[in-house]
Amino acid sequence: MENVHTYPKFTPEMKATHKILIPNMAPIHFEMMRAAMEDEGYHVEVLGSGGHAVAQEGLKYVHNDTCYPALLVVGQFMEALKSGKYDPNKTALLITQTGGGCRASNYIHLLRKCVAQQFPQVPVISLNFAGLEKASGFQLTLPLCIKLVYGVLYADLLMTIYNQCRPYELNEGESQKTLEQWQNKLDKLFRTNDYRHTKKWYRAMLED
């Protein structure tokens, strides 16, 4: 069993000083998550690296019997920390934790063990709705939870229409351009209460 005192905790003070890295597991959805979290005062970045190099990096720390998504997430985080782009003393990692019977509940412990080998000062945050880490300085407040839910709703629609339009686009790249325009627009909407007018924005997305 993990010793709760072994790994660093994300404290409330770190909200102002640390950048939180999140994996690129679902690009559209996690960009919406980033926008919601930044509106609540966190400094967040969705990692963009991927491919064979990330998989090979993950294999250095994770047994190849571990499920592939976990291997990629660990590889992406470790590659980012070793890149020199981020100050380990001012960086935290965030990973979702289901709290149920899925193996994904245990990946956070795997990640913490990997990170502690080379970057023992980097805290790993659990994003869960089951209150699994009550002492964490990362708080799922009601405003943040509401924005995360709306972010998922918008991301679902954006992903669906993007996937439907891209194979049939007349001018290559227009679907990606429209997607990025809406991601930027929603990023700004999360700073106001206008993001709650889903019917209005759904219609506008579909028209575009």
Side-chain angles (χ1 to χ4, degrees):
M1 178 177 289
E2 178 188 66
N3 185 334
V4 295
H5 301 292
T6 301
Y7 305 110
K9 293 288 186 181
F10 186 85
T11 64
E13 294 76 19
M14 291 180 178
K15 182 177 181 180
T17 60
H18 281 54
K19 172 171 282 189
I20 300 175
L21 305 181
I22 59 179
N24 195 14
M25 297 174 68
I28 298 175
H29 289 72
F30 278 42
E31 276 296 330
M32 292 296 97
M33 180 190 300
R34 176 201 57 76
M37 290 172 60
E38 288 201 335
D39 188 55
E40 291 299 306
Y42 294 97
H43 308 288
V44 187
E45 181 176 332
V46 180
L47 294 174
S49 57
H52 183 70
V54 165
Q56 291 304 305
E57 187 67 31
L59 283 171
K60 296 178 184 178
Y61 306 94
V62 179
H63 192 279
N64 61 5
D65 191 41
T66 304
C67 85
Y68 199 59
L71 185 148
L72 292 178
V73 167
V74 170
Q76 193 173 53
F77 276 138
M78 294 305 296
E79 183 185 59
L81 290 174
K82 292 165 68 174
S83 69
K85 182 180 177 181
Y86 308 98
D87 181 356
N89 297 311
K90 295 183 179 181
T91 302
L93 312 180
L94 183 144
I95 188 171
T96 53
Q97 192 176 14
T98 62
C102 175
R103 290 179 297 173
S105 292
N106 300 313
Y107 291 155
I108 187 170
H109 307 294
L110 180 65
L111 177 60
R112 280 176 173 156
K113 184 177 180 181
C114 297
V115 172
Q117 294 176 10
Q118 296 187 47
F119 304 97
Q121 72 273 50
V122 175
V124 179
I125 305 167
S126 169
L127 176 61
N128 70 85
F129 295 93
L132 298 178
E133 296 195 350
K134 293 180 171 57
S136 174
F138 178 79
Q139 297 296 319
L140 281 174
T141 62
L142 182 58
L144 177 55
C145 287
I146 292 173
K147 288 173 183 175
L148 289 174
V149 170
Y150 275 91
V152 169
L153 294 175
Y154 285 124
D156 278 347
L157 180 59
L158 280 175
M159 180 182 67
T160 301
I161 55 182
Y162 171 76
N163 289 339
Q164 289 289 331
C165 291
R166 186 175 179 183
Y168 306 104
E169 61 186 11
L170 299 179
N171 301 305
E172 185 176 355
E174 282 190 336
S175 299
Q176 181 66 34
K177 181 179 179 181
T178 305
L179 170 64
E180 293 172 356
Q181 287 175 343
W182 270 104
Q183 286 177 319
N184 292 333
K185 184 177 293 186
L186 288 168
D187 196 339
K188 296 175 182 177
L189 283 177
F190 274 120
R191 302 171 194 171
T192 71
N193 286 327
D194 206 20
Y195 72 89
R196 299 189 183 188
H197 299 152
T198 52
K199 186 178 293 186
K200 168 186 174 182
W201 298 118
Y202 276 8
R203 184 179 295 112
M205 285 180 189
L206 289 167
E207 288 175 353
D208 277 356

